[in-house]
Amino acid sequence: MLSTLNLGDGQNLGTTNGRIALDCSVRHTRQGHVCISTTDFFFPLVDSPYLQGRIGAANVLSDLYAEGVGECDFVLMLLAACRDMAEDERTICTKEMVKGFNDACLEAGTSVTGGQTVLNPWPVIGGVATTICSEGEYVKSDGAQVGDVVVLTKPLGTQVAVNVHEWRVRQTPKWQELSKRNIISLEQAEDMMHAAVCSMSRLNRHAGSLMVKHHAHAGTDVTGFGILGHAQNLMDNQAAEVGMEIHTLPCIANTSKVEESGVLDFRLLKGYSAETSGGLMICMKEEDAVAYCKELEGIDEEPAWIIGRVVADPNRKANILDDFKTLEVEMRG
């Protein structure tokens, strides 16, 4: 639909033919710098309004980090307070969302400098994140090369974990079926949700800041289109005629078991399960990827994985190999 609207002026950097950006708008300023900006927002997905705010900020900032920058100069907050809540509930919820959002921004080394607030049926929080940098301080998203490997910095499965949590809390028939068939225990469901919340609220700051150092060629973050959807978007954006083969899917422990149970098809193992505040997916040489993963794990104390490779392909297709393997990622700590 958007392709018919003639958006953009062909001057975006790091995108094929300067078209509308993949994750961020990347532009030269009149003063000769590079301005990288992005926007996103987040609907209620967790029980805690504080965590909703924190995840919302992590989600906004992630697009900047996918461009290989580790610093954000400022953030504008976009806030919708719930008009259908009682006034005292709305006040508490809104304050907690803002606090979580602001705390994540402070952790990222940036500040909320303005924004906009409205009333809405749903409490929503998001923002606009901007950084100003020089050439060489970010990674253009169109440079993947044949022979690159593909790195993923967070596990998949947040949509599955969140839905199972909702089923458990509401004691729905789907939860009763999972329990009756011994697919997943109460403790495993709680651990799954805890792991998902920890993953969604963790910033991709270090993952982004190491991309230039380790000579990344292209990157994006994995969110609403699922890993295969974002892989395809990334391949469509490349200057070279390349495709991607994914051979490994790291998943939050027990999410693949829920998927395989058939209780609900999230399309997790097909690559289309939506992720919230997911990891970065980065193309780089294998030797650089090994060093990158090692350094990132030393900083974040969480693993990153080589999950695929870039291949020559005039059709620019991303696909998950038939013999792919699933990794069960246990929560640390």
Side-chain angles (χ1 to χ4, degrees), residues 187-229:
E187 182 180 5
Q188 288 172 327
E190 290 175 342
D191 287 347
M192 183 193 302
M193 183 60 179
H194 183 59
V197 169
C198 289
S199 177
M200 291 187 293
S201 60
R202 174 161 57 94
L203 298 176
N204 281 322
R205 185 184 187 188
H206 299 133
S209 66
L210 293 174
M211 286 172 62
V212 171
K213 176 181 178 180
H214 291 283
H215 314 113
H217 294 148
T220 188
D221 64 338
V222 179
T223 51
F225 297 135
I227 188 168
L228 189 56

Side-chain angles (χ1 to χ4, degrees), residues 276-296:
T276 297
S277 188
L280 302 188
M281 181 165 53
I282 307 164
C283 303
M284 57 177 69
K285 291 181 179 179
E286 185 168 8
E287 57 268 32
D288 291 324
V290 171
Y292 172 90
C293 291
K294 182 178 180 180
E295 184 170 1
L296 181 60

Side-chain angles (χ1 to χ4, degrees), residues 5-68:
L5 298 180
N6 197 32
L7 299 177
D9 61 0
Q11 300 301 311
N12 281 323
L13 306 178
T15 60
T16 306
N17 299 323
R19 64 188 183 189
I20 290 293
L22 188 65
D23 291 304
C24 295
S25 173
V26 185
R27 310 278 295 187
H28 279 130
T29 69
R30 292 187 301 276
Q31 296 77 21
H33 302 297
V34 175
C35 177
I36 306 176
S37 60
T38 186
T39 186
D40 209 339
F41 53 86
F42 180 52
F43 288 92
L45 196 65
V46 293
D47 298 329
S48 162
Y50 176 86
L51 287 174
Q52 181 186 347
R54 181 176 176 84
I55 295 168
N59 208 37
V60 171
L61 291 163
S62 184
D63 283 340
L64 280 189
Y65 300 145
E67 302 292 338

Side-chain angles (χ1 to χ4, degrees), residues 43-150:
F43 288 92
L45 196 65
V46 293
D47 298 329
S48 162
Y50 176 86
L51 287 174
Q52 181 186 347
R54 181 176 176 84
I55 295 168
N59 208 37
V60 171
L61 291 163
S62 184
D63 283 340
L64 280 189
Y65 300 145
E67 302 292 338
V69 297
E71 302 298 330
C72 174
D73 288 307
F74 63 92
V75 174
L76 303 178
M77 181 187 296
L78 304 175
L79 176 66
C82 180
R83 70 185 182 199
D84 297 331
M85 286 182 174
E87 184 175 355
D88 57 340
E89 292 176 340
R90 180 169 60 243
T91 298
I92 293 170
C93 177
T94 304
K95 282 185 175 179
E96 285 297 300
M97 284 197 306
V98 171
K99 186 176 188 299
F101 190 97
N102 190 57
D103 282 354
C105 289
L106 292 174
E107 182 183 322
T110 192
S111 298
V112 177
T113 60
Q116 180 64 279
T117 303
V118 297
L119 286 174
N120 189 62
W122 291 93
V124 178
I125 195 163
V128 179
T130 302
T131 191
I132 307 295
C133 63
S134 301
E135 289 289 346
E137 293 182 332
Y138 74 102
V139 176
K140 294 180 179 180
S141 54
D142 63 352
Q145 301 174 9
V146 174
D148 282 352
V149 297
V150 182

